[in-house]
Amino acid sequence: MVSCSTRVSNKLGAGIPQVARVSVFAGLCLWLVESALFTTLLFTFRNIIGYTFSNSKEVVDYVAELSPLLCLSFILDSFTAVLNGVARGSGWQHIGALNNVVAYYLVGAPVGIYLAFSRELNGKGLWCGVVVGSAVQAIILTIVTASINWKEQAEKARKRIVSAENGLA
């Protein structure tokens, strides 16, 4: 999923914005297949997976109870991995960093703390905060990715390459 970053940056630097855009769609298709496969497996075996952590029935049951949240978290994290790769590959590392701060520290963490301690949901509440943070991150990155002007980004990448080459000469 993160390899999308390298592919996008290489194609933008080569001045081929159409292929960079197709690379994003390829990454999203891989995300869809991977997420469907692994969340199906996780959800199907949710009553068994807990035994990898403990033989305690209480732990196994709690893992099974958290599995839907874990599945949702897996889907969102994989999706944001692709879109973070697009942001990095487009030279927008600052957007990815700012997005992490907003999504997880300003939104996800307060929601998780509130649900865990004020609503007494404990671990489930904390995990809900992670899911909310991932959802916020996914929404922001979707908006950013959808608004990319690929030709403009390719031109900017070429200018950075030329200026770097001139600086080395």
Side-chain angles (χ1 to χ4, degrees):
M1 300 301 160
V2 180
S3 63
C4 200
S5 169
T6 303
R7 183 91 173 141
V8 167
S9 64
N10 285 345
K11 296 308 167 190
L12 289 176
I16 316 171
Q18 312 88 302
V19 178
R21 189 169 187 254
V22 169
S23 298
V24 174
F25 288 116
L28 290 173
C29 287
L30 287 171
W31 156 73
L32 192 60
V33 170
E34 177 191 17
S35 293
L37 176 69
F38 287 110
T39 55
T40 300
L41 285 171
L42 176 63
F43 194 74
T44 302
F45 297 109
R46 68 185 177 276
N47 294 316
I48 298 169
I49 289 177
Y51 287 109
T52 60
F53 305 108
S54 174
N55 289 329
S56 166
K57 181 77 170 131
E58 184 179 351
V59 171
V60 172
D61 290 344
Y62 197 65
V63 169
E65 191 178 324
L66 285 176
S67 289
L69 284 173
L70 184 58
C71 289
L72 187 56
S73 179
F74 184 79
I75 291 167
L76 290 169
D77 283 343
S78 299
F79 181 68
T80 59
V82 172
L83 297 185
N84 266 318
V86 173
R88 276 193 307 275
S90 300
W92 293 349
Q93 292 85 351
H94 63 287
I95 290 176
L98 184 59
N99 187 22
N100 281 336
V101 169
V102 169
Y104 290 109
Y105 292 101
L106 299 181
V107 179
V111 168
I113 291 168
Y114 171 75
L115 292 174
F117 300 109
S118 294
R119 292 297 191 188
E120 297 180 10
L121 290 176
N122 303 323
K124 192 184 290 186
L126 290 173
W127 206 266
C128 285
V130 170
V131 170
V132 167
S134 293
V136 169
Q137 185 179 44
I139 291 166
I140 293 170
L141 287 171
T142 299
I143 292 167
V144 168
T145 302
S147 66
I148 291 176
N149 180 333
W150 293 100
K151 288 182 182 179
E152 182 182 319
Q153 289 306 312
E155 290 171 14
K156 287 181 179 179
R158 294 296 296 161
K159 287 178 184 175
R160 285 192 298 265
I161 291 170
V162 169
S163 68
E165 288 174 351
N166 290 338
L168 295 176

